[in-house]
Amino acid sequence: MKRYLNILYVAAFLTFAAGHTSNAQPGVAVSFSVFYDELSPYGVWVEDPVHGYVWVPDIGPDFHPYHTNGHWVLTEYGNTWVSFYDWGWAPFHYGRWVYDAFYGWVWVPGYEWGPAWVYWRYGGGYYGWAPLAPGFVVVTGFGIYNPPMDWWIFVSPRYLYHRNITRYVRDRRQNINIYNQTTVINNTYINRTRNTTYITGPARDDYK
């Protein structure tokens, strides 16, 4: 049954990507002008003194990347985030997210496709992930990443692939207690064609 569901997840992701834009696929070149044109209707571009031009989604204060309005599927590239936003093909598969005290979550453009640019942990009966900040380089045997505690999302394994995963996420006030029971998931996928390494998260055989 689990294998059958994983096949359905892959099919759902590929259908979603094809229906929105070809840019949501690995190996397709993108440019800043593409991001600018495609994302401008859904937010504003501002100049950041550290990261240059960044995009601020017009979405409200409760938004959290790789949590709000989407879900995980298991594809050949590892755990892949499928977003329900019309603009989701870009900020969840290219670039990085960072939290700004004034704007909230902002997206820093990047040009390498990935299934999801997040860091994974497991332990204490929970899977957890957090957005990778700009500048963190993913390589085989990558090092420890310590984002702010409220960047983490934790969920029971039984709900990891639920389409309405948001409703099952643990209260972030519990993050530090859960985090201290977890360890890093070091699984990666190397795209040798593009010389890019993805953090894949829980493997099919490891899923508990």
Side-chain angles (χ1 to χ4, degrees), residues 40-198:
S40 289
Y42 306 104
V44 296
W45 289 91
V46 298
E47 188 169 6
D48 180 85
V50 176
H51 303 295
Y53 279 100
V54 300
W55 180 71
V56 185
D58 182 14
I59 204 166
D62 295 331
F63 170 75
H64 192 292
Y66 303 106
H67 171 208
T68 311
N69 207 26
H71 65 101
W72 292 109
V73 301
L74 194 56
T75 72
E76 64 179 295
Y77 303 103
N79 287 274
T80 303
W81 185 254
V82 174
S83 173
F84 299 135
Y85 293 116
D86 289 338
W87 46 264
W89 67 269
F92 300 115
H93 300 287
Y94 297 90
R96 305 292 176 87
W97 289 91
V98 66
Y99 191 84
D100 180 87
F102 181 79
Y103 292 108
W105 286 101
V106 303
W107 178 68
V108 181
Y111 304 98
E112 289 288 350
W113 184 93
W117 296 107
V118 302
Y119 197 78
W120 287 88
R121 298 179 71 91
Y122 173 76
Y126 294 98
Y127 282 114
W129 61 92
L132 288 173
F136 184 87
V137 178
V138 180
V139 296
T140 303
F142 51 88
I144 298 297
Y145 174 61
N146 293 306
M149 195 55 59
D150 60 356
W151 286 26
W152 287 96
I153 298 296
F154 288 103
V155 67
S156 169
R158 66 184 296 187
Y159 300 120
L160 181 61
Y161 297 111
H162 201 287
R163 284 180 60 87
N164 296 318
I165 191 172
T166 300
R167 70 170 62 176
Y168 301 108
V169 167
R170 300 299 298 178
D171 189 324
R172 268 172 274 176
R173 289 174 295 184
Q174 301 178 31
N175 273 8
I176 191 168
N177 292 329
I178 298 175
Y179 178 91
N180 288 334
Q181 302 176 60
T182 63
T183 57
V184 175
I185 299 176
N186 283 305
N187 299 332
T188 58
Y189 173 95
I190 301 176
N191 184 332
R192 300 192 183 280
T193 300
R194 299 185 61 81
N195 195 30
T196 303
T197 301
Y198 311 138

